[in-house]
Amino acid sequence: MTAPTRAVTIRVRRQQAPGARPHHSDYQVPATPHTTVLDALRWVKEHCDPTLTFRWSCASGVCGACGVMADGTPVLACQQPLGRAALGSVSIDPLADMPVERDLVVDLDPFHDSILQVTPWLVPSDDAPQGEGRHVQSPAQLAVYEEFASCIDCLLCQAACPQVGEDSDFLGPAAVAAAIRFEADSRDDGSDLRRSVLDSEAGYQSCVFDGSCSAVCPQGVDPAGALQRAALDLRDEL
Ligand code: SF4
Ligand code: FES
């Protein structure tokens, strides 16, 4: 049996260009219980307003491109049902605390600048240079960092974090989770490059440990756990 369709109003924040004055546009979209936020945006683009601009690619929760705020909560648009359909209205905004390029598309350059500060790649030790010999890793060693390697850079955690918008020095939970992914890798020898960043206002010192980042992560990465781990590891070394 086909699911019943009803009209749902989505209120989308529009902004023509960086720094332009934002406004909101309302659209009525047909929705079933299975309609996602991305479905609704695509319907609007196809039937109402081809200028509506948003980012997406896989529509499967894999690429991390489609993050938006739905009724104030960071979500993957392709995975989020139009949850308030019963109330008849859903607000859709760009991810919080990120500069807007246009409509729902945010500028990722500030995040890329942040994550580069934590050397987010494997730094081989001098006695095991890349390309020479085998870099064997046991399943147990993989398990130590595997959770953090699941990050899809969707930035929902950055948008949920109460500190990212308050403290411009703080790199944010996604960048710290990326650092811990490599810190915990048995093949990595790059701690000296990351330690001064993690043990600073840019790292765990700015975290208020409220856990909102982990609550919204679609991958179960637990960036709050990464921050706690950074704090504990670095304090242990003092
Ligand atoms: S830690 Fe989770 S919420 Fe944050 S960017 Fe990675 S996948 Fe997204
Ligand atoms: S479009 Fe790829 S995660 Fe949503």
Side-chain angles (χ1 to χ4, degrees):
M1 195 173 78
T2 310
T5 301
R6 54 172 295 153
V8 175
T9 301
I10 60 172
R11 167 162 286 207
V12 185
R13 189 177 188 272
R14 309 293 306 272
Q15 185 173 328
Q16 261 216 319
R21 190 184 179 89
H23 65 280
H24 288 87
S25 298
D26 291 347
Y27 306 98
Q28 279 220 323
V29 299
T32 72
H34 309 296
T35 300
T36 65
V37 169
L38 179 62
D39 292 334
L41 293 170
R42 292 178 65 188
W43 190 90
V44 170
K45 193 169 180 75
E46 188 174 337
H47 295 94
C48 307
D49 186 347
T51 70
L52 179 62
T53 305
F54 49 95
R55 209 180 250 135
W56 69 286
S57 180
C58 69
S60 304
V62 174
C63 73
C66 65
V68 294
M69 308 295 287
D71 283 338
T73 300
V75 298
L76 291 180
C78 70
Q79 300 299 296
Q80 180 69 20
L82 279 180
R84 287 181 57 189
L87 300 179
S89 172
V90 179
S91 69
I92 304 173
D93 295 88
L95 286 176
D97 301 319
M98 295 178 206
V100 171
E101 289 275 5
R102 182 181 168 109
D103 294 342
L104 300 174
V105 173
V106 294
D107 181 2
L108 300 177
D109 283 351
F111 172 68
H112 293 149
D113 292 342
S114 293
I115 199 169
L116 281 176
Q117 291 185 46
V118 301
T119 316
W121 55 82
L122 276 178
V123 179
S125 62
D126 286 344
D127 58 353
Q130 275 183 335
E132 291 181 23
R134 298 172 66 206
H135 296 263
V136 177
Q137 191 167 62
S138 71
Q141 288 171 319
L142 169 65
V144 174
Y145 71 86
E146 193 170 18
E147 167 197 329
F148 299 111
S150 302
C151 177
I152 55 174
D153 289 337
C154 65
L155 306 190
L156 303 193
C157 56
Q158 300 276 125
C161 174
Q163 284 297 88
V164 166
E166 292 291 318
D167 184 347
S168 58
D169 289 333
F170 184 37
L171 299 180
V176 174
I180 296 301
R181 178 258 174 268
F182 293 101
E183 284 289 289
D185 192 315
S186 60
R187 301 163 296 178
D188 183 79
D189 195 31
S191 268
D192 288 348
L193 298 170
R194 302 185 193 99
R195 192 169 303 146
S196 62
V197 180
L198 291 175
D199 189 13
S200 72
E201 296 282 317
Y204 77 84
Q205 291 179 10
S206 293
C207 179
V208 294
F209 297 106
D210 86 334
S212 51
C213 52
S214 295
V216 300
C217 178
Q219 293 291 97
V221 169
D222 190 13
L227 278 146
Q228 287 169 348
R229 185 165 170 168
L232 291 171
D233 287 354
L234 289 162
R235 281 176 191 157
D236 283 350
E237 290 174 13
L238 293 177

